[in-house]
Amino acid sequence: MHLLVEWACYKKEEKVYITIEDNGGGIADNILDKIFEPYFSTKDKKDGTGLGLYMSKTIIEEHCLGKLHAINKRDGALFEIILPLNKIT
């Protein structure tokens, strides 16, 4: 199986939606609600700090007044960023 990543960007009701989806099997259900927590990582201690998704969510939600979330789809994970169009400069 080849890993495929697809992305899309569209406008709907004064918001911009950016989606990134892969076919990598998804995120384990028992950690899906933890992936945006600070210092949470599935990598070895030497390979990650667990701050990447936390910081991404913080920037999008606190500084851009948007939303970031992830869900599992049939073959992989989908990350969605929603930004208010009137706040983008």
Side-chain angles (χ1 to χ4, degrees):
M1 174 175 89
H2 288 66
L3 180 64
L4 299 175
V5 177
E6 296 180 356
W7 65 272
C9 182
Y10 59 94
K11 176 187 164 196
K12 180 179 172 186
E13 299 175 3
E14 299 304 312
K15 293 180 181 171
V16 174
Y17 292 77
I18 303 165
T19 60
I20 302 107
E21 183 174 358
D22 68 26
N23 68 341
I27 302 166
D29 289 335
N30 64 326
I31 65 167
L32 187 57
D33 62 339
K34 298 176 185 165
I35 63 171
F36 294 108
E37 293 178 4
Y39 307 109
F40 180 81
S41 179
T42 59
K43 298 178 183 177
D44 292 335
K45 296 279 185 205
K46 64 181 175 123
D47 291 331
T49 62
L51 290 175
L53 287 175
Y54 167 74
M55 290 302 299
S56 297
K57 187 172 179 82
T58 299
I59 291 167
I60 289 167
E61 293 186 352
E62 294 183 14
H63 300 282
C64 299
L65 304 177
K67 294 182 181 181
L68 169 61
H69 65 268
I71 60 171
N72 283 318
K73 300 287 276 187
R74 187 180 73 196
D75 295 326
L78 179 135
F79 285 80
E80 183 175 56
I81 301 167
I82 304 168
L83 300 169
L85 191 57
N86 61 352
K87 296 296 181 185
I88 299 172
T89 58

